[in-house]
Amino acid sequence: MKFGIIKERKNPPDRRVVFTPEELVRLKTEHLQAEVKVESSDIRIFTDQQYSDLGIEVTTDMSDCDVLFGVKEVPVDALIPNKKYFFFSHTIKFQPYNRKLLVAILDKNIELYDHETIVDANHKRLIGFGRYAGIVGAYNGFRAFGIKYDLFNLPKAETLKNKEDLIVRLKRQTLPNVKIVVTGFGKVGMGIKEILDGIKIKEVSPEDFLTKKYSSPVYTQIDVLEYNKRKDGKVINKNDFYENPQEYTSNFERFSEVADIYMAGHFHGNVAPDILTREMLQSSKNKIKVVADISCDVNGPIACTLKASTIADPFFGYLPSEDKEVPYTHPGSIMVMSVDNLPCELPKDASEGFGEMFMQHVIPAFFNGDKDGILHRAKITENGKLTERFKYLQEYVDGKQELV
């Protein structure tokens, strides 16, 4: 079995990679029948020389590889027919901008495995960059706060080396007694928590957060039943929320009326209630002045997330009274950070963590007959057709359905 690491060709350039040089050495050591090649790249966080120094072949010809690993979408003209590909295809939610990519994959008889579709038997995601999105997003949230109130000016995360460097820079700043509310307990939410704990901000219970005053910064991390309530007033359990989200409405205003900074790291289902509404932000009781929307669902559950911002231009202002974007210097605005590719700012850390997950959860499936069904569940296309699990995409492929 010959594995290949392909060059990232999407713009803006992405410096991340599925496997570091050391992880490829580990792959070859643990699976002696495996061969590996790396496509030459001048943008990757690890240089060609770093791979070749460890005995990894670096080349411009990947045509003899069986399986090709990438991070972002592969341009249609760079796809090699009759191969197995792993990358974030951004097609499984009917993304209209990538329909042609999925059509080309089918036409070229490619087996597509999306990193997002690599799940366990309970359909829990096994692979992702969420932790690093949370880490960088939390840092950017503080950076936004410092700029908004002219307190400090942190360097961009992309100019720093690693998570530890972010924490060192944050520890040098003096924060007022702000209250920070965090939504989400998945990889993103726990990445946010790593930063908050790393700079020794005190965690408090939701009840204390809502009712007590503090002389130093504090944060609380809340789950779905703490910012949603049933419309009929019943208190059941979290499973009821997931099974009947239409029966719930947000009561996040409890937190928006006392929090200064909101860091959003939740997963939000399509029919779940909006979390932070325009009405909450328009309220005279609203205290939130900085929103770091790491989940970044545009025009979704957080009213001020009007767009995905960029690493180059990460902040914008939201004017609740007019529901529109304004300069973040506008005195009546809420400062928003909604970068949708945050892990790109820590490409080395993100690549190391991703490779470890891939080695643990995916690579063994190639050598044990896929006994746990990892590859079977993740496979989107085969023999020029959609697999059974992804047949729902057929109308999308045919151009009859283009939902975002």
Side-chain angles (χ1 to χ4, degrees), residues 51-334:
Y51 285 98
S52 58
D53 283 350
L54 292 182
I56 307 298
E57 180 185 356
V58 179
T59 180
T60 57
D61 181 11
M62 307 298 284
S63 60
D64 61 338
C65 292
D66 304 298
V67 184
L68 297 165
F69 297 124
V71 177
K72 290 288 189 70
E73 300 99 313
V74 178
V76 168
D77 59 2
L79 290 167
I80 305 173
N82 308 311
K83 301 293 182 184
K84 294 178 171 67
Y85 272 91
F86 285 74
F87 57 85
F88 286 108
S89 70
H90 299 292
T91 58
I92 63 172
K93 297 178 182 176
F94 311 104
Q95 290 94 324
Y97 52 89
N98 278 336
R99 189 181 75 84
K100 289 181 181 178
L101 173 62
L102 186 53
V103 170
I105 285 167
L106 291 165
D107 289 344
K108 292 174 183 282
N109 193 35
I110 287 168
E111 279 187 24
L112 173 63
Y113 300 79
D114 193 305
H115 298 311
E116 211 173 335
T117 65
I118 298 170
V119 296
D120 64 15
N122 296 315
H123 295 279
K124 180 182 177 182
R125 279 187 64 182
L126 298 171
I127 306 292
F129 288 104
R131 176 190 169 204
Y132 299 95
I135 287 169
V136 177
Y139 177 87
N140 283 354
F142 287 118
R143 184 166 176 258
F145 186 83
I147 292 170
K148 182 173 180 66
Y149 291 104
D150 201 22
L151 293 172
F152 46 80
N153 199 344
L154 290 162
K156 284 191 171 187
E158 65 176 341
T159 67
L160 305 178
K161 286 174 59 178
N162 50 33
K163 183 191 86 171
E164 287 69 30
D165 205 358
L166 303 189
I167 289 174
V168 166
R169 299 303 178 108
L170 286 169
K171 278 184 171 180
R172 292 176 186 168
Q173 316 310 321
T174 301
L175 282 168
N177 58 333
V178 292
K179 285 185 170 184
I180 304 159
V181 60
V182 179
T183 48
F185 280 83
K187 289 183 172 65
V188 177
M190 299 315 286
I192 297 170
K193 181 176 170 62
E194 277 189 64
I195 289 293
L196 298 176
D197 292 344
I199 60 175
K200 309 299 183 187
I201 291 184
K202 181 181 179 180
E203 182 176 10
V204 299
S205 70
E207 293 75 19
D208 285 350
F209 186 88
L210 293 170
T211 58
K212 293 185 178 181
K213 293 185 177 180
Y214 296 89
S215 58
S216 59
V218 298
Y219 81 93
T220 194
Q221 189 173 17
I222 57 176
D223 211 346
V224 289
L225 290 189
E226 285 153 336
Y227 57 89
N228 290 289
K229 63 181 179 181
R230 274 190 69 105
K231 296 172 184 175
D232 59 12
K234 292 180 183 177
V235 178
I236 305 180
N237 55 39
K238 195 157 64 170
N239 286 338
D240 180 65
F241 173 80
Y242 292 131
E243 291 168 8
N244 305 291
Q246 70 282 355
E247 299 301 324
Y248 286 76
T249 186
S250 172
N251 63 344
F252 188 78
E253 68 271 5
R254 301 188 302 153
F255 296 93
S256 65
E257 291 172 3
V258 299
D260 302 284
I261 301 172
Y262 173 27
M263 296 184 177
H266 54 265
F267 170 79
H268 187 263
N270 288 337
V271 293
D274 289 346
I275 299 170
L276 179 59
T277 65
R278 182 186 175 190
E279 289 71 29
M280 293 178 197
L281 292 172
Q282 282 181 315
S283 169
S284 60
K285 295 182 179 180
N286 174 58
K287 277 199 69 183
I288 291 176
K289 293 301 179 185
V290 172
V291 174
D293 187 357
I294 301 157
S295 297
C296 190
D297 294 314
V298 177
N299 296 318
I302 298 175
C304 53
T305 304
L306 302 178
K307 66 177 185 180
S309 57
T310 64
I311 292 172
D313 191 15
F315 309 123
F316 64 92
Y318 171 79
L319 192 60
S321 60
E322 298 183 33
D323 191 34
K324 71 176 186 179
E325 179 184 347
V326 294
Y328 63 72
T329 52
H330 189 294
S333 72
I334 291 161

Side-chain angles (χ1 to χ4, degrees), residues 339-360:
V339 176
D340 63 355
N341 58 341
L342 288 163
C344 294
E345 295 202 63
L346 276 189
K348 184 175 183 292
D349 279 13
S351 298
E352 289 170 348
F354 196 86
E356 289 170 8
M357 287 185 283
F358 218 90
M359 274 294 295
Q360 177 185 349

